[in-house]
Amino acid sequence: MVIASDRARAAAGAQEDGVLVGIGGGSTTGPAKAVAMTTGLPIDAVPTTYAGSEGIEQTLYGAYLAAVAFASVGSGMHHKICHVLGGMVGLPHAQTHAVVLPHVPAFNAPNSPEVERRIAAAFGSATATGGLRALRDELDAPRAPKDFGMPEEGIAKAVAPVLAAVPANNPTPVNADSLAALLRAAWKGDLP
C-alpha cells in the first residue's frame, strides 16, 4: 500500500487541480486518504464494503461483532498471505482473498477438525473445502492469482515474508516447503 500511495501522491502532485476517486474497500479508501492528506485534494469515495456510514442497525451490529471478533483473535494465516501478496505483487485485495481462502482451511483441517466440521456444517457440505468450492463455483469467483497479475517467481519471493507473518498459533505448523506448496497450488488455481 505504501508504494501505491507514493505513486498516487506523485501522480496527484503533477496535477494542478482535481479530485481523488477511490472505488473499493479499505485498500482503496486508505491510500486515497493518504494522498489527500499530503496534497489537499478532495476525495470522492465509492465504498464497496461497509465503512460505518451506512445508518442500517443490523448491518452496524454485524460490523461491530466482526470487529470484536477480529480484535480478539487478530488475523490468521489466510489474511497474512493475502496482505503479503497484495503488498509485494500489487494484487487486488478482494480477489486475492477469494483465491487463497480455500487453501488455508484445507491446510489447517488435519490439525483443527472441530473448526473444519463447523465450517463444513455452515456450508451444508461434507468438508469446509467442498463448501468453499461450491460457493466459488456459484459466484464464479476468481480462480488463481496468476490470472490477475501474479508472476510465478512471486511464489518464492513471498515465502519468507509470509512465513514471518504467520501467527505462531496456526493449527498446522508452517515451514517454507509447505507454504511454498500452498502458494503454488493457489497460484495455479488448483483447489485442495
Side-chain angles (χ1 to χ4, degrees):
M1 184 165 115
V2 171
I3 294 170
S5 294
D6 289 344
R7 286 195 312 245
R9 278 189 198 101
Q15 305 300 315
E16 292 182 23
D17 58 273
V19 64
L20 299 166
V21 179
I23 302 172
S27 60
T28 57
T29 304
K33 290 176 183 177
V35 174
M37 187 172 74
T38 57
T39 64
L41 291 172
I43 301 173
D44 276 347
V46 182
T48 58
T49 59
Y50 181 75
S53 60
E54 292 92 348
I56 302 168
E57 180 181 352
Q58 291 302 309
T59 304
L60 183 57
Y61 183 62
Y64 162 77
L65 291 176
V68 167
F70 191 79
S72 299
V73 298
S75 62
M77 181 177 173
H78 165 255
H79 211 79
K80 301 299 186 182
I81 290 170
C82 294
H83 275 248
V84 169
L85 293 180
M88 286 185 68
V89 189
L91 299 181
H93 192 70
Q95 292 90 329
T96 304
H97 278 276
V99 298
V100 171
L101 183 58
H103 297 275
V104 176
F107 180 82
N108 283 326
N111 293 301
S112 191
E114 180 54 34
V115 172
E116 202 277 339
R117 278 193 290 276
R118 288 190 345 237
I119 295 170
F123 279 116
S125 64
T127 64
T129 303
L132 288 166
R133 180 182 291 116
L135 180 63
R136 182 167 116 169
D137 290 345
E138 182 179 333
L139 298 175
D140 194 26
R143 301 290 196 245
K146 69 178 183 175
D147 295 339
F148 45 90
M150 181 177 173
E152 187 170 8
E153 59 270 15
I155 297 167
K157 290 178 183 176
V159 170
V162 170
L163 203 52
V166 171
N169 65 349
N170 193 69
T172 300
V174 183
N175 62 44
D177 291 337
S178 63
L179 181 57
L182 185 153
L183 293 173
R184 180 160 303 284
W187 180 82
K188 291 167 53 176
D190 294 343
L191 278 178

